Amino acid sequence: MFFPIDPGANATIGGMTATRASGTTTVRYGTMRENVLAVKAVVADGSLVNAGRAVRKSASGYDLSHLFVGSEGTLGIVTEISLRIFPAPETILAGHCHFPDVESACNAAISALQLGIPLARVELLDERQIVSSNRYSKLSLPEAPHLFIELHGSAASVEEQREQFESVASETGGQDFSWASRTEQRNALWKARHDVYFANTAYRPGARAITTDLCVPISKVSAIVRRSRERIVEAGLVAMIVGHVGDGNVHVQFLVDFANADERERAFDVISAMTHDALNVGGTCTGEHGIGQGKTKYMLAEHGTAAVALMCSLKLALDPQRIFNPGKIFPAAIS
Ligand SMILES: Cc1cc2nc3c(=O)[nH]c(=O)nc-3n(C[C@H](O)[C@H](O)[C@H](O)COP(=O)(O)OP(=O)(O)OC[C@H]3O[C@@H](n4cnc5c(N)ncnc54)[C@H](O)[C@@H]3O)c2cc1C
């Protein structure tokens, strides 16, 4: 058996529950929202709340477990978590291919999902990211947008998925398909993917990394990736784009010379513009990193006054003295 959520960081189960984390395998196995069955939490008056039971379904009362999932530690401290686990797949095949542009890569992922190919991972790395990863992870991939893929299932089903994926991806310009079933080869591919943060910080020594993530309906993902790249170029910035593209989740890592106030301001302006691009097409300001303090300013634009007021009422009902993570999630004016 295995627990599938892979945030690619040294995360704890408590932190992953609190941030409603997800990652490369979400396209197949869901986020923490789908994989937390029940939690126990200590709330502000010191009582231990049994929020739900470890069952696949329940129609009993409010869904308190999921109130804590994604609450970023603002409602209480989660002390016990019951999770779903999955059978380890008989066969795992990982691979990559490249495309003439990011839109073709996104369209291949979308078509594969629309066809019902049960991709376990489908990760976009744009051309700038490939240049950076080649340098850091000692790869020699063509400097073009790539999809990194993983397929799970029986040997026969994985072979069928591979054929279907190659056929779909070829139609949008995918080429140089390369597959690896051996554990060491697969691990090398995913280590390179997980190391993008370190690859990028090494790419521009002295620069500071600013990361942001957005999530849009999957039909909008290629347009958002293209527009984000245009904005980065127009602002004269250095940034790499990766994405859990099967979820519509786009991550951008800016490498910014913090001593240069103008460059810093341009980076934050682009992040703001990209976030509004995502909100304008029905997306969210963060697919997985959470609101924290940095994204409180987008809460009203995303949720509207009534929903944010309801969230504040819940916060104050559970934590009237605001002792849990004050200043997180809500705009300063109302937290
Ligand atoms: C290199 C890198 C890659 C990342 N990739 C991903 C990714 O792919 N997907 C993704 O979702 N995230 C990603 N993240 C973000 C982050 O690591 C995850 O969201 C993770 O869930 C945070 O877990 P943590 O244990 O580090 O929590 P922390 O950072 O320690 O805490 C996060 C928040 O949860 C609260 N919290 C922690 N534990 C509890 C608890 N028991 N009860 C109540 N509140 C609690 C904290 O107060 C804080 O507000 C990445 C981060 C890095 C640095």
Side-chain angles (χ1 to χ4, degrees):
M1 308 297 288
F2 80 119
F3 177 62
I5 313 276
D6 165 39
N10 292 325
T12 62
I13 296 289
M16 290 167 66
T17 302
T19 55
R20 207 187 291 128
S22 48
T24 58
T25 55
T26 298
V27 65
R28 171 86 175 254
Y29 297 100
T31 70
M32 287 302 276
R33 179 174 62 187
E34 288 78 33
N35 288 293
V36 170
L37 296 174
V39 304
K40 289 184 183 169
V42 175
V43 291
D45 65 6
S47 50
L48 179 67
V49 177
N50 283 315
R53 295 194 161 204
V55 287
R56 281 295 294 277
K57 55 197 241 186
S58 166
S60 171
Y62 293 158
D63 187 349
L64 293 183
S65 291
H66 288 95
L67 185 58
F68 286 96
V69 177
S71 63
E72 297 192 35
T74 58
L75 300 179
I77 296 173
V78 177
T79 57
E80 197 173 310
I81 302 157
S82 302
L83 300 167
R84 282 186 74 187
I85 51 173
F86 291 78
E90 178 191 312
T91 304
I92 301 177
L93 188 66
H96 57 78
C97 60
H98 63 87
F99 293 83
D101 49 59
V102 284
E103 279 151 304
S104 318
C106 292
N107 290 337
I110 294 169
S111 302
L113 292 171
Q114 281 174 342
L115 260 185
I117 306 173
L119 303 174
R121 288 170 154 150
V122 55
E123 294 289 304
L124 171 75
L125 292 83
D126 85 341
E127 189 176 325
R128 297 299 296 264
Q129 183 59 60
I130 292 293
V131 172
S132 167
S133 294
N134 273 345
R135 198 187 286 182
Y136 182 84
S137 300
K138 313 268 181 293
L139 305 174
S140 49
L141 298 172
E143 293 178 359
H146 274 67
L147 287 181
F148 286 8
I149 318 287
E150 192 166 276
L151 308 172
H152 293 179
S154 67
S157 129
V158 162
E159 180 53 22
E160 188 184 14
Q161 292 175 48
R162 184 188 66 75
E163 279 174 18
Q164 283 181 319
F165 179 78
E166 284 198 11
S167 158
V168 167
S170 302
E171 278 172 27
T172 70
Q175 48 188 296
D176 283 350
F177 296 89
S178 169
W179 298 98
S181 56
R182 288 209 346 261
T183 311
E184 315 82 69
Q185 293 170 305
R186 283 193 278 112
N187 288 351
L189 184 72
W190 294 115
K191 180 156 178 16
R193 169 61 187 87
H194 285 141
D195 280 349
V196 296
Y197 179 86
F198 307 105
N200 296 344
T201 45
Y203 183 84
R204 191 179 179 199
R208 230 162 92 183
I210 310 177
T211 55
T212 192
D213 88 302
L214 326 155
C215 191
V216 293
I218 184 168
S219 58
K220 312 287 186 202
V221 69
S222 59
I224 283 289
V225 172
R226 188 195 61 226
R227 186 69 192 114
S228 299
R229 174 52 70 200
E230 283 168 3
R231 288 191 183 282
I232 292 162
V233 171
E234 283 160 15
L237 295 164
V238 180
M240 287 73 174
I241 301 180
V242 296
H244 308 309
V245 70
D247 308 322
N249 186 199
V250 177
H251 292 239
V252 185
Q253 187 174 348
F254 294 85
L255 298 167
V256 179
D257 174 5
F258 257 62
N260 181 337
D262 174 60
E263 184 176 329
R264 221 167 49 218
E265 195 175 321
R266 279 183 278 131
F268 285 114
D269 285 349
V270 170
I271 290 174
S272 174
M274 282 170 40
T275 306
H276 285 289
D277 289 341
L279 296 180
N280 289 340
V281 296
T284 171
C285 68
T286 172
E288 49 184 40
H289 288 173
I291 296 293
Q293 294 168 315
K295 289 199 167 172
T296 55
K297 54 182 171 288
Y298 304 118
M299 284 292 284
L300 284 171
E302 177 168 339
H303 298 283
T305 314
V308 172
L310 182 55
M311 290 187 210
C312 288
S313 304
L314 288 167
K315 161 75 179 168
L316 292 178
L318 270 80
D319 180 18
Q321 295 187 56
R322 306 171 196 207
I323 58 173
F324 289 125
N325 278 351
K328 284 204 173 173
I329 299 188
F330 302 107
I334 49 176
S335 74

